[in-house]
Amino acid sequence: MSGLVLSLTDRQPRHVQSRAIAAVNLQRERERDHVRSIRTTGNPVEVEYRDKPASLDAWYRAQPVKPGRINPRLVLSADEKRLYGLPASARLVDLRGMGDELDHWCVCVFPVLHGYVVGVKAPTGDGGVGVFWRKSYKASDYAMRLSVEYGFPIQERYA
């Protein structure tokens, strides 16, 4: 359905396109919440996620650091991965210490062994969270998605 809606709006003005995309994303999120509530309780109940951070980076920054550790534990459930638009097999990687330190926020793509790490990197050593991708075209697509969502430039792009 979403492919049909988006292809019909291609010929419409920009504000119509953005409203259509927002409506499709809202519908998908409600369907996910509905399925999750049925799985947990067995009864279809409407669930609203007001406490869910808006982005993966916001989720990372909201994680508590346990005593004796330096970084938060980077683990998402399968449902949380779906909410952030990630595949169920996605692995999260801390971006602290990866690449050059920059004085501005940016979307970074790092080639690593057997794949690529893509994420939003904070300035001056604050780190961030990235997602490991095996295929270069998937890493490139995710980097473009992050760049559009945040409005940050892509610092390195290998795809």
Side-chain angles (χ1 to χ4, degrees):
M1 179 183 150
S2 63
L4 178 66
V5 171
L6 296 179
S7 65
L8 289 174
T9 60
D10 282 343
R11 296 179 292 264
Q12 301 296 323
R14 190 78 177 138
H15 70 281
V16 173
Q17 292 180 13
S18 62
R19 286 195 336 234
I21 291 169
V24 169
N25 288 337
L26 179 63
Q27 181 182 5
R28 285 179 180 165
E29 187 171 338
R30 285 182 180 166
E31 288 173 359
R32 286 185 210 122
D33 294 343
H34 183 71
V35 169
R36 184 178 308 109
S37 68
I38 290 174
R39 282 185 194 158
T40 57
T41 64
N43 299 326
V45 178
E46 290 295 322
V47 178
E48 291 186 19
Y49 280 92
R50 293 189 180 144
D51 59 340
K52 179 188 80 75
S55 67
L56 189 60
D57 191 61
W59 171 85
Y60 170 75
R61 305 233 176 261
Q63 294 302 306
V65 178
K66 293 184 179 177
R69 297 196 66 170
I70 298 173
N71 296 326
R73 188 165 179 226
L74 301 177
V75 177
L76 286 174
S77 69
D79 290 333
E80 289 174 323
K81 288 179 184 178
R82 244 180 276 125
L83 285 174
Y84 290 115
L86 299 174
S89 62
R91 286 187 295 155
L92 301 180
V93 178
D94 189 12
L95 296 180
R96 186 169 293 153
M98 292 185 80
D100 297 332
E101 295 302 326
L102 304 169
D103 59 347
H104 59 279
W105 288 83
C106 66
V107 175
C108 290
V109 179
F110 300 106
V112 295
L113 187 63
H114 301 298
Y116 303 86
V117 174
V118 181
V120 176
K121 188 159 173 72
T124 61
D126 265 349
V129 65
V131 180
F132 176 78
W133 300 92
R134 288 204 184 275
K135 306 284 185 184
S136 64
Y137 69 92
K138 289 186 179 182
S140 178
D141 290 348
Y142 185 65
M144 289 301 289
R145 184 178 113 190
L146 288 179
S147 180
V148 169
E149 281 179 14
Y150 290 99
F152 299 146
I154 297 175
Q155 182 64 27
E156 303 174 37
R157 188 163 184 230
Y158 299 89

